[in-house]
Amino acid sequence: MATIRDVAQYAGVAPSTVSYVLSGSRSISEETRTRVREAIDALGYHPHASARTLRAGRTRVIALAVPRAAGLQRSVDGRFAIDVSDAANLLGYDLLLSTSQDKAEGVRRVALSGLADAAVLMAVDMDDSRIDVVRELGFPAALIGRPTDEAALPWTDLDWEAAAALAVRSLAAAGHRALVYLGPTGNEYAARRSYALRGRSGARAAAAEVRVPVRFLETPSGISPERHTPNEAPRLVHALREALGTGRDRATALIVQHPSADHALSALTTLGLRTPEDITVLVLGSLPDDPTARRLPRVDLPVHTLATEVIRLAAQATTHPTPPPAPHLLIPPQLSGTEGLGGGGGE
């Protein structure tokens, strides 16, 4: 059965353009509209009418789509699930948790099941396949994450680019002469996760602006910051030893883009480096109640604000569909613990 992506490829347009032609929610040139209609006819594409009827019967349930691998423990997922659930309950909704690793098909099953009025999508990729699915099905949804097409669906997110830039500028102003940026795993970059790519982009831009060298490092694949195994620690220790350098070129500050800095601190201890005496550690996207991060300079992830806003956007979409551009809230970063920024790693 043809999908909206098949139609888009046949017509030589983006999937969102096909959605706009079908919904009439955006002005499209007659030439493009004709190509899309011809592709629909040629492929025999039929939007799922059953999904568009779901709004007629209210379940008072919002689905939270959190793709996760079996056995993977991530404190950020649990924290968001709790806060999203609380925000939903305040608006009279229950929460349905969907953890399918097949992101697009998982949300498609939820949309067609009739079990929920709307969905909240986490782990957002820059060009997330779920966006096309919910638009194709006419299923209300909102994102915790900033996609490339910001007008496609309602979304809210921390301004990761500004957060990373703020971290680099603040450390440079404190006198640090070289920095290391420890980002998420390579898998997150390969999947084009919005937070990972935007964070690294912001750090690079700020590094060029303040003229302080930043060495970019990906967390070695397979390392779980939430649960160490004996084979994981040496890999991160080796990676950090190489990135930090030695002598006059040694980096004096480390930026960790992750809710927890425990894995990085453990590796630094193995290397014989004390925080903040020998090296400053700044956490980007820490959980507000993380005891480790509370003693470090940090940009907290505003979980409560994001959860409250995304539920409001999802609930609003069930009753008041908004034509593009979709509403969104980009949250500016706030740097805490600035007294711990140090200056040159204690030298």
Side-chain angles (χ1 to χ4, degrees):
M1 182 173 62
T3 68
I4 198 169
R5 285 184 178 274
D6 296 329
V7 174
Q9 184 175 11
Y10 191 99
V13 299
S16 58
T17 301
V18 179
S19 295
Y20 299 146
V21 170
L22 292 171
S23 66
S25 58
R26 178 176 289 187
S27 178
I28 301 294
S29 72
E30 190 57 38
E31 178 186 355
T32 300
R33 189 181 302 276
T34 299
R35 292 209 316 272
V36 170
R37 290 295 181 188
E38 289 175 348
I40 289 173
D41 292 340
L43 297 175
Y45 172 73
H46 299 286
H48 291 271
S50 58
R52 292 197 298 271
T53 66
L54 291 179
R55 294 182 190 175
R58 299 294 179 193
T59 64
R60 303 302 297 181
V61 171
I62 291 178
L64 175 63
V66 189
R68 59 180 299 275
L72 179 63
Q73 297 182 14
R74 299 201 315 171
S75 56
V76 65
D77 291 342
R79 177 61 187 270
F80 265 109
I82 291 171
D83 280 33
V84 169
S85 177
D86 290 345
N89 289 335
L90 286 175
L91 293 184
Y93 287 88
D94 288 317
L95 198 68
L96 171 69
L97 186 62
S98 172
T99 60
S100 173
Q101 293 185 62
D102 190 338
K103 297 170 67 171
E105 288 308 308
V107 76
R108 183 183 295 275
R109 287 196 298 271
V110 169
L112 294 175
S113 70
L115 295 175
D117 294 337
V120 167
L121 312 181
M122 287 181 55
V124 173
D125 305 334
M126 294 292 289
D127 302 295
D128 202 297
S129 59
R130 294 172 296 180
I131 293 176
D132 290 338
V133 171
V134 296
R135 288 179 65 87
E136 171 192 348
L137 300 177
F139 188 65
L143 314 174
I144 300 178
R146 184 183 179 185
T148 299
D149 184 357
E150 298 182 13
L153 288 176
W155 59 269
T156 183
D157 201 5
L158 173 67
D159 191 337
W160 287 101
E161 288 173 292
L166 176 62
V168 170
R169 293 192 193 102
S170 299
L171 289 169
H176 292 277
R177 62 179 181 269
L179 315 175
V180 169
Y181 188 97
L182 179 60
T185 65
N187 292 335
E188 296 289 275
Y189 290 108
R192 293 182 52 77
R193 280 294 182 270
S194 176
Y195 81 98
L197 293 183
R198 292 186 186 279
R200 187 171 62 182
S201 175
R204 282 177 171 165
E209 172 191 320
V210 299
R211 299 183 179 180
V212 169
V214 178
R215 303 159 192 164
F216 290 89
L217 176 67
E218 296 174 3
T219 298
S221 296
I223 286 185
S224 169
E226 311 291 340
R227 184 178 58 186
H228 295 294
T229 65
N231 293 329
E232 291 175 349
R235 299 175 62 204
L236 183 56
V237 169
H238 175 74
L240 276 176
R241 180 189 289 115
E242 293 295 315
L244 290 171
T246 58
R248 294 183 59 85
D249 293 330
R250 182 176 71 83
T252 56
L254 171 66
I255 300 171
V256 181
Q257 189 186 7
H258 194 275
S260 171
D262 288 343
H263 60 306
L265 293 178
S266 296
L268 292 174
T269 298
T270 301
L271 291 172
L273 297 175
R274 301 165 299 166
T275 303
E277 293 85 358
D278 302 317
I279 188 167
T280 296
V281 177
L282 188 155
V283 188
L284 201 59
S286 57
L287 293 177
D289 54 0
D290 179 5
T292 300
R294 299 305 294 177
R295 61 185 180 86
L296 300 171
R298 65 198 179 277
V299 174
D300 280 336
L301 188 61
V303 178
H304 178 74
T305 301
L306 290 170
T308 301
E309 182 66 15
V310 78
I311 285 295
R312 184 188 69 80
L313 291 170
Q316 177 182 333
T318 65
T319 55
H320 301 290
T322 304
H328 64 267
L329 175 64
L330 185 61
I331 301 175
Q334 295 186 355
L335 181 63
S336 304
T338 53
E339 66 278 1
L341 287 175
E347 293 185 0

